[in-house]
Amino acid sequence: MAASVASVQPAREPGPGRASDAVPEAAAVPEAAAVSEAAVPESVAPHVSIVLPCFNEQDHVLLEVERICRAMDASAYSYELIAIDDASTDGTLAALRSAEPDYPRLRIAAFRRNGGSGTVRRIGTQQARGEIVVWTDADMTYPNERIPELVTILGTDPAVDQVVGARTSEEGRHKLVRVPAKWFIRKLAERLTNAEIPDLNSGLRAFRRAVAMPYLRLLPAGFSCVTTITLAFLSNEHDVRYIPIEYAKRAGVSKFHFLSDAYRYVLQVLRMVMYFNPLKVLMPPALFLLCLGVAKGIFDMVVHPLYFAINTVLIFVTGLLIASLALLADLIVRSRGDS
Protein backbone atom coordinates (compact mmCIF):
# COMPACT_ATOMS: atom_id res chain seq x y z
CA MET A 1 0.00 0.00 0.00
CA ALA A 2 1.48 3.34 -0.99
CA ALA A 3 2.43 5.68 1.80
CA SER A 4 1.44 9.32 1.79
CA VAL A 5 4.04 11.99 2.47
CA ALA A 6 3.71 14.95 4.79
CA SER A 7 6.19 17.55 5.98
CA VAL A 8 7.15 17.90 9.60
CA GLN A 9 6.59 21.39 10.88
CA PRO A 10 7.26 22.22 14.54
CA ALA A 11 3.91 22.84 16.19
CA ARG A 12 3.61 25.98 18.27
CA GLU A 13 0.82 24.94 20.58
CA PRO A 14 0.66 27.21 23.63
CA GLY A 15 -1.42 24.73 25.61
CA PRO A 16 -2.92 25.27 29.03
CA GLY A 17 0.21 24.44 31.00
CA ARG A 18 3.13 26.48 32.17
CA ALA A 19 5.20 26.44 29.01
CA SER A 20 3.40 29.19 27.14
CA ASP A 21 5.77 31.98 28.06
CA ALA A 22 9.53 32.39 27.89
CA VAL A 23 11.47 29.49 26.46
CA PRO A 24 14.59 28.76 28.56
CA GLU A 25 16.49 27.01 25.81
CA ALA A 26 15.00 26.90 22.34
CA ALA A 27 15.68 23.76 20.38
CA ALA A 28 17.03 24.07 16.88
CA VAL A 29 14.58 23.06 14.18
CA PRO A 30 15.78 21.11 11.14
CA GLU A 31 15.05 22.72 7.78
CA ALA A 32 12.64 20.00 6.71
CA ALA A 33 11.78 16.38 7.18
CA ALA A 34 9.70 14.01 5.09
CA VAL A 35 7.42 11.72 7.07
CA SER A 36 5.96 8.58 5.61
CA GLU A 37 2.63 7.68 7.16
CA ALA A 38 1.97 4.11 8.25
CA ALA A 39 -0.58 2.13 6.31
CA VAL A 40 -3.31 3.06 8.78
CA PRO A 41 -6.26 5.35 7.98
CA GLU A 42 -5.89 8.83 9.45
CA SER A 43 -9.22 8.41 11.21
CA VAL A 44 -7.87 5.44 13.18
CA ALA A 45 -5.35 6.99 15.54
CA PRO A 46 -3.01 4.58 17.34
CA HIS A 47 -3.03 4.44 21.13
CA VAL A 48 0.77 4.56 21.45
CA SER A 49 3.34 6.60 19.53
CA ILE A 50 6.98 5.56 19.94
CA VAL A 51 9.54 8.24 19.04
CA LEU A 52 12.90 6.75 18.04
CA PRO A 53 15.80 9.19 17.37
CA CYS A 54 18.36 7.72 14.98
CA PHE A 55 21.80 9.20 14.37
CA ASN A 56 24.53 7.03 12.81
CA GLU A 57 22.94 3.77 13.93
CA GLN A 58 23.15 1.81 10.66
CA ASP A 59 24.56 -1.38 12.18
CA HIS A 60 21.80 -1.94 14.71
CA VAL A 61 18.83 0.32 13.99
CA LEU A 62 16.90 -2.49 12.27
CA LEU A 63 17.47 -4.76 15.25
CA GLU A 64 15.94 -2.09 17.46
CA VAL A 65 13.01 -1.55 15.11
CA GLU A 66 12.37 -5.29 15.00
CA ARG A 67 12.57 -5.60 18.79
CA ILE A 68 10.13 -2.73 19.37
CA CYS A 69 7.63 -3.89 16.74
CA ARG A 70 7.76 -7.48 17.98
CA ALA A 71 6.98 -6.39 21.54
CA MET A 72 4.17 -4.05 20.50
CA ASP A 73 2.64 -6.58 18.07
CA ALA A 74 2.47 -9.07 20.93
CA SER A 75 0.66 -6.53 23.10
CA ALA A 76 -2.95 -5.41 22.89
CA TYR A 77 -2.03 -1.83 21.96
CA SER A 78 -2.31 -0.17 18.58
CA TYR A 79 0.84 1.82 17.88
CA GLU A 80 3.03 3.73 15.47
CA LEU A 81 6.83 3.79 15.48
CA ILE A 82 8.19 7.18 14.42
CA ALA A 83 11.84 6.70 13.46
CA ILE A 84 13.55 10.04 12.82
CA ASP A 85 16.93 10.09 11.12
CA ASP A 86 18.79 13.10 12.51
CA ALA A 87 20.91 13.80 9.41
CA SER A 88 23.03 10.66 9.82
CA THR A 89 26.25 10.50 7.84
CA ASP A 90 26.12 6.72 7.43
CA GLY A 91 23.49 4.38 6.01
CA THR A 92 20.93 4.72 8.81
CA LEU A 93 18.25 6.30 6.62
CA ALA A 94 18.77 3.76 3.84
CA ALA A 95 18.43 0.93 6.35
CA LEU A 96 15.18 2.38 7.65
CA ARG A 97 13.81 2.84 4.14
CA SER A 98 14.64 -0.75 3.28
CA ALA A 99 12.69 -1.99 6.29
CA GLU A 100 9.65 0.19 5.66
CA PRO A 101 7.70 -2.39 3.59
CA ASP A 102 8.12 -5.01 6.33
CA TYR A 103 6.80 -2.82 9.15
CA PRO A 104 3.46 -1.19 8.31
CA ARG A 105 3.41 0.72 11.63
CA LEU A 106 6.76 2.38 10.89
CA ARG A 107 6.83 6.08 10.01
CA ILE A 108 10.12 7.57 8.86
CA ALA A 109 11.32 11.16 9.03
CA ALA A 110 14.60 12.49 7.62
CA PHE A 111 16.12 15.74 8.87
CA ARG A 112 18.26 17.70 6.41
CA ARG A 113 20.52 18.93 9.19
CA ASN A 114 21.32 17.63 12.64
CA GLY A 115 18.94 19.02 15.23
CA GLY A 116 19.89 17.00 18.31
CA SER A 117 17.97 14.39 20.27
CA GLY A 118 15.85 17.01 22.01
CA THR A 119 14.65 18.41 18.69
CA VAL A 120 13.90 14.92 17.42
CA ARG A 121 11.85 14.07 20.48
CA ARG A 122 10.02 17.39 20.45
CA ILE A 123 8.99 17.21 16.79
CA GLY A 124 8.24 13.50 17.06
CA THR A 125 5.94 14.14 20.02
CA GLN A 126 4.22 17.02 18.24
CA GLN A 127 3.60 14.82 15.20
CA ALA A 128 2.53 11.79 17.26
CA ARG A 129 -1.07 10.65 16.92
CA GLY A 130 -1.25 8.44 20.00
CA GLU A 131 -2.55 9.33 23.44
CA ILE A 132 0.59 7.81 24.96
CA VAL A 133 4.06 8.83 23.73
CA VAL A 134 7.14 6.69 24.38
CA TRP A 135 10.70 7.98 24.16
CA THR A 136 13.56 5.57 23.74
CA ASP A 137 16.90 5.21 21.94
CA ALA A 138 18.11 3.14 19.01
CA ASP A 139 21.49 2.16 20.50
CA MET A 140 20.40 -1.18 22.06
CA THR A 141 20.91 0.11 25.62
CA TYR A 142 17.30 0.14 26.82
CA PRO A 143 15.05 -2.94 27.19
CA ASN A 144 12.54 -1.78 24.60
CA GLU A 145 10.70 -5.08 24.85
CA ARG A 146 9.30 -3.65 28.10
CA ILE A 147 7.59 -0.70 26.43
CA PRO A 148 4.13 -2.34 26.72
CA GLU A 149 4.72 -2.60 30.48
CA LEU A 150 5.22 1.16 30.76
CA VAL A 151 2.09 1.79 28.71
CA THR A 152 0.07 -0.61 30.86
CA ILE A 153 0.93 1.34 34.02
CA LEU A 154 -0.43 4.53 32.45
CA GLY A 155 -3.55 2.67 31.37
CA THR A 156 -4.30 1.11 34.74
CA ASP A 157 -3.54 4.11 36.95
CA PRO A 158 -5.08 7.40 35.73
CA ALA A 159 -3.19 9.32 38.43
CA VAL A 160 0.17 8.54 36.82
CA ASP A 161 1.17 10.88 33.99
CA GLN A 162 4.67 9.57 33.24
CA VAL A 163 6.47 6.26 33.69
CA VAL A 164 10.27 6.26 33.62
CA GLY A 165 12.59 3.30 33.29
CA ALA A 166 15.08 3.82 36.12
CA ARG A 167 18.42 2.26 35.26
CA THR A 168 19.97 0.00 37.87
CA SER A 169 23.51 0.22 36.45
CA GLU A 170 25.77 2.66 34.62
CA GLU A 171 27.38 1.45 31.39
CA GLY A 172 28.50 4.74 29.86
CA ARG A 173 31.98 6.06 29.21
CA HIS A 174 34.04 7.87 31.92
CA LYS A 175 32.32 5.79 34.57
CA LEU A 176 34.58 6.93 37.44
CA VAL A 177 33.60 10.59 37.01
CA ARG A 178 30.22 10.11 35.35
CA VAL A 179 28.60 8.24 38.25
CA PRO A 180 29.38 10.84 40.98
CA ALA A 181 28.52 13.71 38.61
CA LYS A 182 25.12 12.21 37.80
CA TRP A 183 24.54 11.52 41.50
CA PHE A 184 25.23 15.18 42.34
CA ILE A 185 22.92 16.46 39.59
CA ARG A 186 20.18 14.04 40.64
CA LYS A 187 20.44 15.05 44.30
CA LEU A 188 20.34 18.72 43.30
CA ALA A 189 17.16 18.07 41.31
CA GLU A 190 15.62 16.15 44.22
CA ARG A 191 16.42 19.00 46.58
CA LEU A 192 14.91 21.60 44.28
CA THR A 193 11.76 19.61 43.44
CA ASN A 194 11.14 17.91 46.81
CA ALA A 195 10.74 14.60 45.01
CA GLU A 196 12.67 11.35 44.94
CA ILE A 197 14.21 10.81 41.49
CA PRO A 198 15.84 7.40 41.02
CA ASP A 199 16.93 8.27 37.46
CA LEU A 200 16.83 11.86 36.25
CA ASN A 201 17.91 11.39 32.64
CA SER A 202 16.75 7.97 31.56
CA GLY A 203 16.01 7.81 27.84
CA LEU A 204 13.19 5.27 28.22
CA ARG A 205 9.88 6.77 29.34
CA ALA A 206 6.18 6.84 28.50
CA PHE A 207 3.85 9.76 29.20
CA ARG A 208 0.48 11.20 28.33
CA ARG A 209 0.85 13.39 25.26
CA ALA A 210 -1.85 15.85 26.34
CA VAL A 211 -0.02 16.51 29.61
CA ALA A 212 3.38 16.94 27.95
CA MET A 213 2.34 19.23 25.08
CA PRO A 214 2.57 22.53 27.04
CA TYR A 215 6.15 21.70 28.05
CA LEU A 216 7.56 20.73 24.67
CA ARG A 217 8.64 24.29 23.92
CA LEU A 218 10.94 24.09 26.93
CA LEU A 219 12.93 21.16 25.56
CA PRO A 220 16.57 21.94 24.70
CA ALA A 221 18.11 20.48 21.57
CA GLY A 222 20.50 18.12 23.33
CA PHE A 223 20.46 15.18 25.74
CA SER A 224 19.10 17.22 28.66
CA CYS A 225 15.64 17.10 27.07
CA VAL A 226 14.89 14.00 29.16
CA THR A 227 15.89 15.88 32.31
CA THR A 228 13.67 18.76 31.25
CA ILE A 229 10.52 16.67 30.76
CA THR A 230 11.07 14.99 34.13
CA LEU A 231 11.46 18.29 35.97
CA ALA A 232 8.53 19.87 34.12
CA PHE A 233 6.21 17.08 35.28
CA LEU A 234 7.51 17.07 38.86
CA SER A 235 7.45 20.87 39.20
CA ASN A 236 3.79 20.91 38.18
CA GLU A 237 2.71 18.12 40.54
CA HIS A 238 2.24 15.49 37.83
CA ASP A 239 2.73 11.98 39.19
CA VAL A 240 5.85 10.26 37.84
CA ARG A 241 6.30 6.52 38.42
CA TYR A 242 9.69 4.77 38.21
CA ILE A 243 10.29 1.12 37.38
CA PRO A 244 13.75 -0.48 37.55
CA ILE A 245 15.26 -1.56 34.22
CA GLU A 246 18.51 -3.12 33.10
CA TYR A 247 20.82 -0.92 31.05
CA ALA A 248 23.09 -2.52 28.45
CA LYS A 249 26.30 -1.30 26.92
CA ARG A 250 25.49 0.83 23.89
CA ALA A 251 26.06 -0.30 20.33
CA GLY A 252 28.10 2.03 18.16
CA VAL A 253 29.80 5.25 19.27
CA SER A 254 28.39 7.34 22.11
CA LYS A 255 27.36 10.90 21.32
CA PHE A 256 27.59 11.94 24.99
CA HIS A 257 30.40 14.38 25.85
CA PHE A 258 30.99 14.34 29.59
CA LEU A 259 32.13 17.89 30.36
CA SER A 260 29.84 19.83 28.03
CA ASP A 261 26.77 17.65 28.57
CA ALA A 262 27.18 17.49 32.37
CA TYR A 263 27.46 21.27 32.44
CA ARG A 264 24.29 21.58 30.38
CA TYR A 265 22.49 19.13 32.69
CA VAL A 266 23.25 21.29 35.74
CA LEU A 267 22.19 24.46 33.94
CA GLN A 268 18.98 22.83 32.77
CA VAL A 269 18.07 21.67 36.29
CA LEU A 270 18.53 25.20 37.64
CA ARG A 271 16.78 26.75 34.64
CA MET A 272 13.71 24.54 34.91
CA VAL A 273 13.30 25.05 38.65
CA MET A 274 13.79 28.80 38.17
CA TYR A 275 11.08 28.75 35.52
CA PHE A 276 8.54 27.05 37.78
CA ASN A 277 9.67 27.89 41.34
CA PRO A 278 12.41 30.55 41.54
CA LEU A 279 12.19 30.77 45.33
CA LYS A 280 13.72 27.29 45.51
CA VAL A 281 16.88 28.53 43.81
CA LEU A 282 17.25 32.12 44.99
CA MET A 283 15.88 32.26 48.52
CA PRO A 284 18.35 29.84 50.23
CA PRO A 285 21.47 31.86 49.25
CA ALA A 286 19.62 35.09 50.06
CA LEU A 287 18.72 33.92 53.58
CA PHE A 288 22.27 32.60 54.08
CA LEU A 289 23.77 35.99 53.19
CA LEU A 290 21.25 37.86 55.34
CA CYS A 291 21.98 35.66 58.36
CA LEU A 292 25.72 35.93 57.73
CA GLY A 293 25.43 39.72 57.50
CA VAL A 294 23.51 39.92 60.79
CA ALA A 295 26.01 37.63 62.53
CA LYS A 296 28.93 39.63 61.16
CA GLY A 297 27.23 42.85 62.27
CA ILE A 298 26.85 41.55 65.83
CA PHE A 299 30.52 40.54 65.79
CA ASP A 300 31.51 44.01 64.57
CA MET A 301 29.50 45.68 67.32
CA VAL A 302 31.21 43.57 69.99
CA VAL A 303 34.74 44.03 68.67
CA HIS A 304 34.35 47.59 67.36
CA PRO A 305 31.37 49.32 68.99
CA LEU A 306 29.32 51.54 66.65
CA TYR A 307 31.34 50.43 63.65
CA PHE A 308 30.22 48.14 60.79
CA ALA A 309 32.85 46.84 58.41
CA ILE A 310 32.29 47.47 54.70
CA ASN A 311 32.17 43.74 53.95
CA THR A 312 29.41 43.35 56.55
CA VAL A 313 27.28 45.92 54.77
CA LEU A 314 28.02 44.38 51.38
CA ILE A 315 27.05 40.88 52.55
CA PHE A 316 23.76 42.09 54.05
CA VAL A 317 22.82 44.27 51.05
CA THR A 318 23.65 41.45 48.64
CA GLY A 319 21.32 39.16 50.59
CA LEU A 320 18.57 41.79 50.42
CA LEU A 321 19.01 42.18 46.66
CA ILE A 322 18.85 38.44 46.01
CA ALA A 323 15.82 38.08 48.27
CA SER A 324 14.08 40.92 46.44
CA LEU A 325 14.92 39.31 43.10
CA ALA A 326 13.54 35.98 44.35
CA LEU A 327 10.26 37.55 45.43
CA LEU A 328 9.95 39.46 42.16
CA ALA A 329 10.64 36.34 40.09
CA ASP A 330 8.08 34.40 42.11
CA LEU A 331 5.51 37.17 41.57
CA ILE A 332 6.10 36.98 37.81
CA VAL A 333 5.67 33.20 37.83
CA ARG A 334 2.44 33.43 39.86
CA SER A 335 1.00 36.15 37.63
CA ARG A 336 1.65 34.39 34.32
CA GLY A 337 -1.86 33.03 34.34
CA ASP A 338 -0.80 29.39 34.04
CA SER A 339 0.16 28.73 37.66
Side-chain angles (χ1 to χ4, degrees):
M1 181 178 295
S4 60
V5 177
S7 62
V8 171
Q9 297 295 335
R12 304 293 293 179
E13 304 180 24
R18 302 190 174 203
S20 58
D21 296 280
V23 181
E25 185 177 342
V29 179
E31 296 173 4
V35 180
S36 57
E37 300 288 350
V40 179
E42 285 291 336
S43 59
V44 182
H47 181 62
V48 182
S49 295
I50 303 166
V51 180
L52 185 68
C54 305
F55 179 65
N56 290 347
E57 316 280 5
Q58 65 174 4
D59 294 333
H60 46 268
V61 67
L62 294 188
L63 294 175
E64 201 67 273
V65 168
E66 193 276 334
R67 178 164 63 150
I68 294 172
C69 290
R70 183 174 66 247
M72 294 304 298
D73 289 339
S75 71
Y77 301 110
S78 60
Y79 72 97
E80 62 179 352
L81 174 58
I82 307 174
I84 302 180
D85 178 66
D86 195 16
S88 296
T89 57
D90 61 1
T92 298
L93 180 58
L96 289 171
R97 294 293 188 197
S98 68
E100 195 171 11
D102 299 326
Y103 299 97
R105 303 290 179 175
L106 176 63
R107 299 172 60 194
I108 299 174
F111 286 177
R112 294 179 182 174
R113 58 186 176 87
N114 185 268
S117 61
T119 303
V120 169
R121 290 184 169 100
R122 175 174 61 84
I123 292 181
T125 304
Q126 289 169 336
Q127 295 295 317
R129 295 180 294 159
E131 298 177 20
I132 304 300
V133 173
V134 176
W135 286 359
T136 188
D137 288 330
D139 55 13
M140 307 299 292
T141 54
Y142 292 101
N144 288 328
E145 65 276 3
R146 296 184 62 183
I147 289 176
E149 181 182 345
L150 275 65
V151 176
T152 299
I153 294 175
L154 291 173
T156 55
D157 191 345
V160 178
D161 291 317
Q162 182 171 185
V163 182
V164 179
R167 295 164 292 183
T168 57
S169 63
E170 174 61 59
E171 298 295 339
R173 299 182 304 166
H174 313 296
K175 196 169 182 178
L176 289 179
V177 290
R178 186 169 178 166
V179 170
K182 290 178 68 173
W183 178 87
F184 170 77
I185 297 172
R186 180 168 58 84
K187 289 301 180 182
L188 174 63
E190 289 181 340
R191 175 70 176 175
L192 294 174
T193 59
N194 288 332
E196 184 179 355
I197 308 175
D199 193 342
L200 180 61
N201 57 341
S202 170
L204 177 61
R205 60 190 61 226
F207 51 84
R208 303 187 194 279
R209 181 178 182 272
V211 176
M213 285 302 292
Y215 311 125
L216 294 183
R217 294 173 58 194
L218 300 174
L219 296 184
F223 290 103
S224 53
C225 61
V226 290
T227 301
T228 301
I229 202 69
T230 301
L231 294 175
F233 273 57
L234 291 175
S235 298
N236 287 275
E237 304 301 325
H238 297 296
D239 193 6
V240 179
R241 178 87 50 90
Y242 298 90
I243 62 171
I245 62 170
E246 296 295 326
Y247 187 65
K249 186 176 182 180
R250 90 173 313 279
V253 179
S254 174
K255 289 87 177 177
F256 182 87
H257 302 284
F258 175 74
L259 291 178
S260 60
D261 286 316
Y263 175 69
R264 280 195 287 267
Y265 275 127
V266 173
L267 285 185
Q268 194 64 12
V269 169
L270 295 175
R271 179 182 289 119
M272 290 301 297
V273 178
M274 276 289 294
Y275 186 80
F276 293 115
N277 192 353
L279 290 179
K280 281 280 186 180
V281 177
L282 296 177
M283 195 53 74
L287 293 177
F288 172 77
L289 290 175
L290 288 173
C291 293
L292 181 62
V294 171
K296 183 67 164 52
I298 295 174
F299 174 81
D300 290 343
M301 289 296 294
V302 172
V303 177
H304 307 287
L306 302 179
Y307 173 78
F308 288 105
I310 295 178
N311 57 5
T312 302
V313 177
L314 288 176
I315 291 173
F316 188 79
V317 171
T318 301
L320 281 179
L321 289 175
I322 296 177
S324 301
L325 180 61
L327 293 173
L328 178 60
D330 184 69
L331 177 62
I332 294 173
V333 168
R334 302 304 171 193
S335 63
R336 281 201 308 242
D338 53 15
S339 301

